[in-house]
Amino acid sequence: MPTEFLRLLVRRFALLLGAYLLLRLGFFALNYAVFREAPAGQVSLAFWHGFRFDVAALLLLNIPWLLLSLVPGRSQGWQRLVRAVYLLLNGFGLLLNLVDWEYFRFIGRRTSNELSTIGADVQRQAGQLLLSYWWLLLPFGALLAALWYFYPMPRAERQADEGKLQAASRKPQADGRKGRWHGKRLAAWSLQLAAIAGLTVLGIRGGLQLKPLRTGAAFVQQPAVLGHLALNSTFTFIKSLGYAAPERKNYFASPQALQAALAARPLPKRAAAPLPGRNVVVLILESFGSEYTGVENPGRRGYTPFFDSLATRGGGLLLPDHYANGRRSIEALPAVLAGLPSLMEGAFITSAFQTNKLHGLGSILARHGYQTSLFHGAQNGTMGFNTFGGMSGMQQYFGLDEYPGAAQSPDFDGHWGIFDEPYLQYFAQQLSRQQQPFFSTLFTLSAHEPFGLPARYRGKLPTGTLAIQPTIAYSDLALRRFFATARRQPWYANTLFILLADHTSQSDDPGYQNLLGEYKTPLLLFAPGQSLPALPQPRISQQADVPATVLDLLGLPAEGQLLPFGSSVFDAGTSGRAIFFSGGSYWLVHADYVTELTADNQVRLYPYRRHQLPAKPLAHPDPTKLRQYGDELKACVQFYLNGLADNRLYK
């Protein structure tokens, strides 16, 4: 293993580091809106920190190539084989990072194990995704060609010299001289091999610190959002494979101290239930962020005139300070149907905890005589919704397979499933066949990438600067026609409707381009012909409040089967809260402050302002609030992570 070989190895690895620097620059440029408030010095520091993650990711990805590089053999054929492995492995890494140039806009974080958990969904949409994002193939091809062209190969004359040297070593020599020559060569080879092995281990660990480099280490820098810039998608993807359980937390020494800090709320005690015996219909609207509504943005153009009318007419109640518990569709169902927010990197539905004991709203209502069902017009099995529906107590699941004609139907969008308008009409018909009282949830899908529309609506719906805006208008139109059909059904007047989004999506409003804005979604309760109870003001709400709110309105007991993260939005004893995990930190939203618990367990306070979060925390926060809210957030995190690990979320 001559010194020249080590130089070649270093140059080849440096070439990869250069490629990842270009990938990070592209990621920064295309997602500049996310990072624009960060000072230039902190952005530069994020790039510098990124080298640490790049080294670790590239070493992990290239272990097969490194091993092949150590095998003796200097022929041109062998070198071309080693280069082919190099290009194959790193082509995959390039592709992961290029995908996140766009995918990051939708999920607000680097890709993890989504590709392994929803791989079948991605495979079905490969053709359409390629048509939508074909331009990503241009930088991919350019970078891959650059890796091939600039990959250092041993010079032919040097290989010839080495061949002569090897031949000379085979000539008869004095035994002592030959032995000393081979001994020195073996010693040098051993030292160099040990050095390569040691540096590889050190690089993968990310340094000499006690624990190996983790994703959360990227978010210690402020503002924390720069952690996404420091990371690379190869690192987050590889680290998520084999799914390691989240680290347990032990902030509180006793269960009593934990419960006291948790600030869990029981259902309110009422003399009479506001809506006893009502049917319940939950409409989870794909990507229906608050930014697109008119009612929440006076003076700006909205794309949801019918939703706005429901929010302002009699029987409708809009909660203006509502937040999603996650940024992905797969995280919405556990929050809405079971009160389980998303407080870990992976989704609960695809995690090792998916078989844990879980009491969903469906199972609670079924015990009180409700017929329960879940509708989603996508292919059966998409994101594990059918599986989770059963786990949460939904007795029936209606997917694409149950729709008349299925994928052969003219209502099929050619990508994910059935367009919203015909599917909502189908939903209304199916509800008329349900035995009352019923509890049914529908998840729409048209306002999802690639944002397709039925042919008759193309060019006829309101447009803006974003591809999603016409599809939001289409989903709103589909809602209008659903309610027009529902009003003619005998069950309509006896039904509580709950409308909310799964998560936010594309944004062109700087006022929403911050952490809170990325989670700001609407929540609308609508009970035809009846006024709902007064809403405590101000009131923070979240998806995880839905189960408690439904039971409160129906007057049904929780029976110890509600998780402590949410509460009824009509509970006058609290101003509510919202909790989520983002950027390696845990976040707790109250009506006065937003609390951050960082990856290194620091607690920070920010003043609360609807869908807006300052770039910097308060320099001199109220120590009482800092301790109170910090302990509350720590209690939620400890209860969640340890409860999942021990399968003891319920008493």
Side-chain angles (χ1 to χ4, degrees), residues 15-66:
L15 181 61
L16 294 174
L17 290 174
Y20 272 54
L21 175 59
L22 293 176
L23 289 168
R24 185 169 284 108
L25 283 168
F27 178 81
F28 176 71
L30 289 174
N31 294 280
Y32 176 74
V34 177
F35 309 112
R36 70 175 188 276
E37 294 184 359
Q42 292 299 312
V43 171
S44 300
L45 190 59
F47 271 81
W48 175 250
H49 286 167
F51 280 110
R52 187 183 182 199
F53 292 94
D54 292 349
V55 169
L58 287 169
L59 287 173
L60 281 167
L61 182 64
N62 285 280
I63 286 175
W65 169 73
L66 283 171

Side-chain angles (χ1 to χ4, degrees), residues 558-588:
E559 299 174 345
Q561 296 183 350
L562 277 182
L563 292 174
F565 306 107
S567 60
S568 170
V569 300
F570 299 107
D571 184 350
T574 175
S575 60
R577 66 184 179 190
I579 185 171
F580 50 83
F581 178 69
S582 179
S585 292
Y586 301 97
W587 299 85
L588 179 65

Side-chain angles (χ1 to χ4, degrees), residues 3 86 129 155 194 235 243 274 338 383 519:
T3 304
Y86 175 93
L129 293 173
R155 290 187 301 182
F235 183 86
Y243 189 73
M383 289 181 283
Y519 287 81

Side-chain angles (χ1 to χ4, degrees), residues 225-300:
V225 70
L226 288 174
H228 299 299
L229 186 59
L231 287 168
N232 63 73
S233 307
T234 307
F235 183 86
T236 56
F237 178 77
I238 292 176
K239 285 292 186 179
S240 69
L241 295 178
Y243 189 73
E247 182 180 355
R248 296 176 66 91
K249 303 295 183 181
N250 294 289
Y251 298 117
F252 300 91
S254 68
Q256 293 76 19
L258 172 65
Q259 288 295 328
L262 192 57
R265 298 288 304 179
L267 291 177
K269 295 182 179 180
R270 301 185 183 278
L275 302 175
R278 286 248 177 167
N279 306 309
V280 180
V281 170
V282 176
L283 298 171
I284 303 177
L285 307 175
E286 173 68 48
S287 302
F288 211 87
S290 292
E291 178 176 342
Y292 312 128
T293 67
V295 67
E296 296 185 87
N297 300 281
R300 289 185 64 244

Side-chain angles (χ1 to χ4, degrees), residues 332-355:
L333 275 187
V336 174
L337 296 183
L340 186 71
S342 182
L343 299 182
M344 56 184 177
E345 287 287 350
F348 172 82
I349 290 178
T350 55
S351 74
F353 307 122
Q354 61 183 285
T355 57

Side-chain angles (χ1 to χ4, degrees), residues 139-262:
F140 174 72
L143 287 171
L144 196 61
L147 291 184
W148 175 84
Y149 183 79
F150 292 108
Y151 181 88
M153 294 283 282
R155 290 187 301 182
E157 57 268 26
R158 182 174 294 116
Q159 294 178 17
D161 290 342
E162 290 180 357
K164 292 177 182 178
L165 183 61
Q166 292 173 5
S169 70
R170 292 193 291 268
K171 292 180 179 179
Q173 301 180 40
D175 290 343
R177 182 181 175 186
K178 182 178 180 180
R180 286 194 300 272
W181 185 84
H182 281 297
K184 290 179 179 179
R185 187 174 179 85
L186 180 61
W189 184 87
S190 299
L191 287 174
Q192 291 173 0
L193 183 62
I196 291 173
L199 290 173
T200 299
V201 171
L202 185 65
I204 290 174
R205 292 191 80 260
L208 295 172
Q209 69 281 352
L210 182 62
K211 295 182 178 180
L213 187 63
R214 298 179 179 179
T215 303
F219 298 96
V220 175
Q221 180 186 355
Q222 289 298 309
V225 70
L226 288 174
H228 299 299
L229 186 59
L231 287 168
N232 63 73
S233 307
T234 307
F235 183 86
T236 56
F237 178 77
I238 292 176
K239 285 292 186 179
S240 69
L241 295 178
Y243 189 73
E247 182 180 355
R248 296 176 66 91
K249 303 295 183 181
N250 294 289
Y251 298 117
F252 300 91
S254 68
Q256 293 76 19
L258 172 65
Q259 288 295 328
L262 192 57

